[in-house]
Amino acid sequence: WFVPHSARSGFTCSIGWRALGYAEADVLRIDYVDAKSMIPWDDYHAFYLRPGLLNARYAIPPEDSILRVAGYTSPGKFLLDGYTTLVKLQRVVEKVAGRSLSTFSSILDWGCGCGRLARHLIEALEATDTLIVGIDIDRENVQWCKSQLPRASFDSCGLYPPTNLPAAAFELIIGLSVFTHLDEATQFGWLSELRRVAMPGALLLLSVHGNTSVCRSNVSLEWLDQWRRRGMDDSCKDPTLSAVINNEEYYRATYHTKAYVQERWAAYFEVVTIIEGFLSNNQDLVVLRAR
């Protein structure tokens, strides 16, 4: 199901959960392992699959919406990535804060796209009173979320802060694949805005392109040397959102070093930790705490 156009092959193969040693209600964990030792590379590099995940409870976004958010069009991968991210974020929150997602009074999904993560947050927290809010600069994706995903509140925002969100409103802020596309000046503007809307002591989970992403990008040694010395690179334009935003210069392919984040972002938040290769085994996860 994860191979493009595989449905055209004319046959299918399925393996029952019980045959794999799992009960019907279990969550299946798939690890990347060393081929010789069979030891997982990293505890946060696993993927997670739950029963019924591919029989989506909510509508699947159009292919062009998924493409703008994820860089592919496969509905199965879209669901797997979103659910896996939810599970891994929950594990991070438990480790860092000693609590579950269900204990947060309010969650902001900043850069919600077409609900890759939000749809799973809604399902996981449907029995709670947690406020779930999603915002994005992609108005088409926001409108889709409004029409297809219940319970949560969605709204579009401008390319630059401020937003219409109230101050000190969110106890948990998640921003995935957002700082990976901002230039340096815009980055600082949004860090200031996130500081404004975060509650004192709030937890922030934000992703960046770091060492893992750079290793997968086939960059030149000259570029690598400059990136390491400067700590950030925002020189390359990304056309992914050219059809939905009227600014060809805004959306970038942006890379951060750990040292840069630890030094420059510390002016806005306490930098708790940085987990390399966390999001889709590519982007680093920066864990911050509001002062």
Side-chain angles (χ1 to χ4, degrees), residues 111-262:
C112 62
C114 54
R116 176 167 49 168
L117 174 64
R119 65 190 300 125
H120 301 291
L121 277 172
I122 292 168
E123 285 193 73
L125 302 177
E126 64 180 348
T128 73
D129 295 326
T130 302
L131 173 68
I132 303 174
V133 176
I135 64 170
D136 201 280
I137 62 174
D138 187 332
R139 296 178 182 274
E140 290 185 13
N141 274 341
V142 168
Q143 283 301 123
W144 186 90
C145 288
K146 282 184 175 181
S147 66
Q148 300 295 333
L149 301 180
R151 188 187 181 288
S153 173
F154 297 95
D155 200 3
S156 57
C157 63
L159 302 184
Y160 303 96
T163 65
N164 294 323
L165 299 171
F170 297 98
E171 195 177 11
L172 176 64
I173 297 175
I174 302 170
L176 306 180
S177 295
V178 183
F179 282 109
T180 52
H181 298 290
L182 303 179
D183 66 32
E184 188 168 30
T186 305
Q187 158 199 248
F188 292 131
W190 278 111
L191 282 170
S192 181
E193 175 67 0
L194 294 179
R195 180 174 59 184
R196 184 186 72 83
V197 302
M199 292 181 181
L203 204 62
L204 294 90
L205 309 173
L206 312 173
S207 74
V208 296
H209 286 138
N211 285 328
T212 304
S213 301
V214 168
C215 289
R216 297 171 64 167
S217 299
N218 195 31
V219 298
S220 68
L221 290 177
E222 180 183 7
W223 183 97
L224 183 63
D225 182 60
Q226 292 177 351
W227 174 66
R228 285 175 170 170
R229 284 189 285 107
R230 183 189 172 197
M232 179 184 183
D233 184 90
D234 57 3
S235 61
C236 183
K237 291 189 289 187
D238 185 336
T240 301
L241 295 188
S242 59
V244 294
I245 62 174
N246 296 317
N247 188 327
E248 294 183 357
E249 299 296 323
Y250 182 85
Y251 212 61
R252 322 295 294 183
T254 304
Y255 297 83
H256 296 76
T257 65
K258 291 178 69 174
Y260 178 98
V261 171
Q262 290 166 336

Side-chain angles (χ1 to χ4, degrees), residues 1-6 8 60-81 114 116 240:
W1 53 268
F2 56 87
V3 177
H5 311 301
S6 61
R8 300 177 183 174
I60 301 295
E63 285 191 354
D64 59 338
S65 292
I66 296 177
L67 183 64
R68 292 199 302 273
V69 167
Y72 53 75
T73 58
S74 166
K77 184 169 173 53
F78 177 78
L79 294 171
L80 178 64
D81 279 349
C114 54
R116 176 167 49 168
T240 301

Side-chain angles (χ1 to χ4, degrees), residues 30-101:
I30 306 167
D31 278 303
Y32 278 108
V33 300
D34 180 273
K36 294 182 179 179
S37 68
M38 297 304 291
I39 297 174
W41 283 104
D42 186 280
D43 198 37
Y44 285 115
H45 287 174
F47 280 84
Y48 296 88
L49 185 65
R50 64 166 175 78
L53 177 64
L54 302 184
N55 299 319
R57 179 174 177 180
Y58 304 120
I60 301 295
E63 285 191 354
D64 59 338
S65 292
I66 296 177
L67 183 64
R68 292 199 302 273
V69 167
Y72 53 75
T73 58
S74 166
K77 184 169 173 53
F78 177 78
L79 294 171
L80 178 64
D81 279 349
Y83 179 70
T84 292
T85 299
L86 174 74
V87 174
K88 294 200 293 187
L89 290 177
Q90 172 66 72
R91 296 181 61 222
V92 170
V93 169
E94 289 173 349
K95 184 175 182 178
V96 171
R99 54 192 296 193
S100 68
L101 289 175

